Amino acid sequence: MKAEYLMRRAFYSFLAFMVSLTLTFVLLHLMPGDYLHSILPYLAEKNPDAARMFREQFGLNRSISEQYLLYVVNVVRGNWGYSFLYGLPVLAVIEEKLRWTLVILFPSTVLSILIGMAVGAYSGWRNGSKTDLSVLNFMIFVGAVPSYWWAMLLILIFGFHLNLFPLGGYASIEALDVGVRISDVLRHAALPVTALTISSVPGTYYLMRNSTLQTTGEEYVLTARSKGLREMEILRHHALKNAMLPMVTVIALELAQMIMGSVFVETIFSWPGLGLLTFEALRVRDLPLLQGIFLMDTLMVIFANIAADLSYPLIDPRVKVGENV
Amino acid sequence: MSILAINDLKVQFPTPEGLVKAVNSVDLELEEGERLGMIGETGSGKTVLGLAVVRLLSGAEVEGNIEYRGKKLLLLDEAEMRKLRGREISVIFQSPNSLNPVLKVGDQIAESIRLVGCSNRQDAKKKAVQAMEAVGMPDAELWADRYPHQFSGGMKERAMIALGLACDPRLIIADEPTKGLDANIKAQVVELIRDVTTDKSLLFITHDLSAAAQICDRIAVMYCGEIVEVGRTEEIFANPLHPYTEGLFRSLPIMGMKAIRGASPSLIDIPSGCRFHPRCDRPCENCAKAHPPLVEAESSPGHLMRCFQHDRG
Ligand SMILES: Nc1ncnc2c1ncn2[C@@H]1O[C@H](COP(=O)(O)OP(=O)(O)OP(=O)(O)O)[C@@H](O)[C@H]1O
Ligand code: SF4
Ligand SMILES: [Mg+2]
């Protein structure tokens, strides 16, 4: 049962990956004009011979289906092409940048989940109260403001006016002499992490508030009240764990949004991660690199989903791996 | 001394459709050590009455007086009320979803025990296992570490009873603890409730007349949020006076399963006069106009009923 389930799960993940792979391929070929033209404009006019060699070299002279097959085989083999911008294998570039992204993405994901869940649980439990309504309105406001706006506001206040944190980058200029120190990087990461956290708290908050709200009418909550427990004890010991169950799967999906947000935040803070890379790749039309980034984002979301799926049975005793909902 | 005295209790729910008058001027007394059965069709207000006693109704307007051992419950603040719940007055709910699905059953019982001052986790767990043994659960130690979904319906109900008894309360309110169990298991649970409540006061809410007969000293019959008849169990069974009570008995399988005609009215739009008159077999003219009071039957003292034709012989 368990093995069969994991197989099925792996198969679906693979399917999702293939779909996004195909999508990138199709999208690129739907772009107006020649692929060669979009990466090296006017090469064909100026030097037809070079263009022909180029086409042969990169397989652009073959049929679409052949190109597709070649593309899939290469991607699966780990050959994601070369970045024009860096002149390096796409995968190598991405790998390096991914680490930097994780430095801000991981803490802000954890923080936004913790904050969103705690505030959401309280708000949902006290639903309709003054606190709930003011928190709800506040969150609606926070959620309506885009992440880059928060990023700029933070830079302005804490970087520029108060001069508490650096304005951007990942290390101070002294790093050239003394090397990159962790404390220095953390100081640089503080504002980007905060910006990303602020912009993703509302999402988790809404979900958790709703989920907690739904437990308030449950019969086991009535039982807990009849035992003489305090409201906050009932929330902590009884409602919270139940309210978290539906969250697990949704949080994995939220990651996609966080990745989106990180593009803006990293660009504004010049944080050398995947987000900034996306921006640069877009700017100079580094198509292989963009393709690679897109695939990497897909992979991250797929893995987050698998992780959510596997952790679900750990928190819900009714579900064993393989007997999933 | 009465352990519970309910006077002129009214419970209403404001809803978008109108005011639901779920309990209407109920007077009821429960002696210390007495077991009272509360019967009536679905929607007659039994659960609402039971929950009103422990003040666990949300969105309700509650008026009147509820006295528990001299304490006016409706006047207590929330903290005082909380101290009574579980340790003085406990509720046994009907089981399927009344236990928390993500917590071990033993822990849920231990939680109650810890509330009454047993601060040691291990001791509380041990006592929880004992409580489960006391309701006849085999291998209680093993089952204490399992989750509700692993329990059968009957086992869950036993666990609920163990939970209700865990802090040794004086008054127990059991709300349809046998609902949905098959006959065999039901008989066992009824027997269990009878055995574990011999030295307790019990408000036993049920649809099951025979269960009420086996457990209870007295029976109260509810209709449209009112008590229409109350008396000693033998009296009620041998000599039901109210046409509604008679109707309930006639609808029993062994009595021919003749259902009372019509449906119980909405508690938003309660019939005038005698609330039962649209469904009554032999209403008189007065029945639709005047509201009969709850009076003692001349023929049998202590047997109260709410019908104009109560002494028709
Ligand atoms: N929170 C609520 N809001 C509005 N109406 C309610 C609420 N709780 C109960 N009622 C109404 O009060 C009436 C009495 O309900 P109650 O649950 O006490 O009936 P019952 O006698 O216990 O029925 P059953 O045998 O089906 O359990 C019903 O008409 C019900 O719809
Ligand atoms: S008062 Fe009249 S209508 Fe009501 S139960 Fe008695 S006889 Fe029937
Ligand atoms: Mg009920």
Side-chain angles (χ1 to χ4, degrees):
Chain A
M1 193 67 199
K2 197 168 169 172
E4 187 197 322
Y5 170 75
L6 289 176
M7 288 286 289
R8 199 150 34 103
R9 186 67 242 195
F11 174 72
Y12 282 129
S13 302
F14 176 73
L15 211 64
F17 185 68
M18 286 312 288
V19 168
S20 61
L21 201 64
T22 310
L23 220 61
T24 20
F25 183 82
V26 170
L27 278 179
L28 284 179
H29 283 265
L30 277 183
M31 287 206 318
D34 194 345
Y35 184 68
L36 180 59
H37 179 76
S38 51
I39 52 181
L40 289 174
Y42 311 116
L43 178 69
E45 286 162 33
K46 297 204 169 113
N47 192 343
D49 277 344
R52 192 179 43 76
M53 273 165 60
F54 192 94
R55 278 181 213 281
E56 264 170 32
Q57 172 82 36
F58 287 91
L60 292 178
N61 54 346
R62 309 205 196 171
S63 71
I64 284 282
S65 49
E66 240 179 307
Q67 283 188 45
Y68 174 70
L69 216 66
L70 214 65
Y71 171 62
V72 171
V73 168
N74 278 331
V75 165
V76 171
R77 277 197 185 147
N79 175 6
W80 290 21
Y82 273 81
S83 157
F84 299 130
L85 185 62
Y86 288 83
L88 288 169
V90 165
L91 210 50
V93 177
I94 288 179
E95 210 185 305
E96 146 85 16
K97 300 289 178 181
L98 182 61
R99 286 187 202 162
W100 284 106
T101 286
L102 290 181
V103 170
I104 60 167
L105 198 60
F106 182 73
S108 50
T109 307
V110 172
L111 276 176
S112 69
I113 287 173
L114 288 180
I115 298 172
M117 277 203 179
V119 182
Y122 184 82
S123 204
W125 190 248
R126 291 255 180 256
N127 93 351
S129 71
K130 271 202 185 109
T131 331
D132 170 43
L133 293 180
S134 31
V135 172
L136 181 62
N137 280 318
F138 177 70
M139 287 292 181
I140 290 175
F141 164 72
V142 173
V145 176
S147 56
Y148 51 82
W149 197 85
W150 288 117
M152 292 193 284
L153 192 73
L154 289 174
I155 290 184
L156 205 62
I157 297 177
F158 296 100
F160 187 71
H161 286 301
L162 299 179
N163 207 8
L164 292 173
F165 293 99
L167 300 178
Y170 68 98
S172 325
I173 193 83
E174 293 93 63
L176 290 176
D177 301 327
V178 294
V180 177
R181 277 167 306 145
I182 289 186
S183 61
D184 192 32
V185 170
L186 289 184
R187 230 167 63 81
H188 281 80
L191 290 186
V193 167
T194 312
L196 207 51
T197 305
I198 291 178
S199 64
S200 39
V201 159
T204 320
Y205 164 82
Y206 295 139
L207 293 169
M208 189 62 183
R209 179 179 179 274
N210 210 17
S211 186
T212 309
L213 189 58
Q214 252 144 46
T215 65
T216 57
E218 294 287 346
E219 289 173 53
Y220 60 79
V221 168
L222 189 61
T223 306
R225 288 207 172 100
S226 80
K227 290 158 123 179
L229 291 167
R230 289 161 201 276
E231 284 299 297
M232 282 301 118
E233 289 171 324
I234 301 173
L235 173 59
R236 275 209 314 276
H237 301 320
H238 290 268
L240 207 57
K241 208 169 168 198
N242 283 283
M244 268 162 55
L245 298 182
M247 295 292 293
V248 177
T249 32
V250 196
I251 282 173
L253 295 177
E254 276 231 341
L255 185 67
Q257 220 145 13
M258 300 267 307
I259 291 173
M260 264 298 292
S262 73
V263 175
F264 297 115
V265 170
E266 286 185 6
T267 305
I268 289 171
F269 284 99
S270 327
W271 185 262
L274 270 191
L276 184 59
L277 188 69
T278 312
F279 178 74
E280 283 177 347
L282 270 171
R283 200 164 45 85
V284 303
R285 297 181 134 228
D286 188 341
L287 291 176
L289 188 55
L290 271 179
Q291 250 177 332
I293 293 170
F294 183 60
L295 284 182
M296 184 49 79
D297 289 347
T298 313
L299 275 179
M300 274 160 56
V301 174
I302 287 174
F303 277 120
N305 270 300
I306 293 178
D309 248 43
L310 293 180
S311 66
Y312 200 83
L314 296 181
I315 63 167
D316 189 346
R318 286 165 297 186
V319 179
K320 295 201 193 73
V321 174
E323 293 167 17
N324 215 349
V325 264
Chain B
M1 185 185 122
S2 68
I3 189 168
L4 184 71
I6 298 174
N7 272 310
D8 197 21
L9 182 71
K10 293 194 185 84
V11 182
Q12 307 187 320
F13 296 96
T15 66
E17 292 76 38
L19 199 59
V20 178
K21 303 178 197 75
V23 173
N24 300 295
S25 297
V26 162
D27 292 300
L28 192 67
E29 231 169 277
L30 197 62
E31 296 300 316
E32 187 94 47
E34 187 182 30
R35 294 185 277 190
L36 176 83
M38 177 81 67
I39 61 176
E41 282 169 302
T42 177
S44 53
K46 307 181 296 292
T47 299
V48 171
L49 179 65
L51 290 180
V53 172
V54 277
R55 291 202 356 211
L56 284 177
L57 291 169
S58 52
E61 294 166 358
V62 184
E63 266 175 54
N65 190 18
I66 304 172
E67 250 173 66
Y68 168 78
R69 306 182 82 225
K71 275 197 190 103
K72 289 186 165 51
L73 296 188
L74 296 183
L75 301 181
L76 295 184
D77 63 34
E78 183 53 30
E80 289 172 309
M81 191 64 223
R82 209 167 43 222
K83 288 209 184 84
L84 292 180
R85 291 188 196 123
R87 38 189 112 171
E88 292 273 336
I89 311 173
S90 77
V91 189
I92 297 173
F93 294 99
Q94 161 209 335
S95 65
N97 304 311
S98 295
L99 289 166
N100 192 331
V102 299
L103 300 178
K104 289 174 183 166
V105 172
D107 289 343
Q108 297 189 48
I109 299 173
E111 185 183 34
S112 276
I113 293 168
R114 281 168 59 197
L115 269 182
V116 293
C118 175
S119 51
N120 185 314
R121 215 170 255 270
Q122 244 100 50
D123 284 355
K125 192 78 186 258
K126 231 175 261 163
K127 284 189 187 158
V129 172
Q130 283 164 8
M132 289 170 79
E133 274 163 358
V135 295
M137 219 178 266
D139 301 321
E141 206 149 340
L142 200 72
W143 286 94
D145 276 328
R146 297 202 173 149
Y147 293 92
H149 74 277
Q150 294 167 299
F151 284 53
S152 67
M155 294 271 282
K156 265 193 223 172
E157 199 51 62
R158 275 176 200 271
M160 279 309 289
I161 295 171
L163 184 63
L165 291 167
C167 299
D168 198 23
R170 288 170 198 267
L171 171 61
I172 295 170
I173 299 168
D175 191 355
E176 301 199 45
T178 58
K179 191 180 184 180
L181 301 178
D182 47 16
N184 202 355
I185 310 282
K186 195 181 266 187
Q188 290 173 14
V189 170
V190 167
E191 209 171 301
L192 174 68
I193 293 176
R194 195 190 58 205
D195 294 346
V196 296
T197 55
T198 43
D199 58 344
K200 304 212 173 283
S201 310
L202 174 72
L203 183 61
F204 184 67
I205 297 168
T206 188
H207 280 260
D208 186 342
L209 297 176
S210 74
Q214 281 176 64
I215 295 173
C216 301
D217 311 307
R218 278 200 306 153
I219 302 242
V221 183
M222 260 190 118
Y223 185 73
C224 278
E226 282 187 334
I227 293 192
V228 295
E229 181 162 7
V230 53
R232 301 204 54 76
T233 305
E234 312 84 58
E235 270 291 314
I236 298 277
F237 273 79
N239 185 23
L241 293 175
H242 197 282
Y244 176 63
T245 315
E246 285 176 24
L248 284 182
F249 285 134
R250 271 201 305 271
S251 65
L252 285 177
I254 45 161
M255 305 292 279
M257 259 176 126
K258 285 190 284 292
I260 305 172
R261 69 189 171 89
S264 41
S266 129
L267 292 181
I268 295 175
D269 239 335
I270 293 180
S272 64
C274 170
R275 291 176 176 179
F276 189 57
H277 86 263
R279 302 171 74 191
C280 186
D281 283 339
R282 40 172 186 282
C284 56
E285 266 171 51
N286 208 13
C287 296
K289 294 185 201 123
H291 185 217
L294 188 66
V295 293
E296 192 161 17
E298 278 166 30
S299 50
S300 57
H303 188 161
L304 309 177
M305 62 100 84
R306 197 187 279 283
C307 173
F308 287 126
Q309 304 182 34
H310 59 280
D311 271 338
R312 61 193 180 276

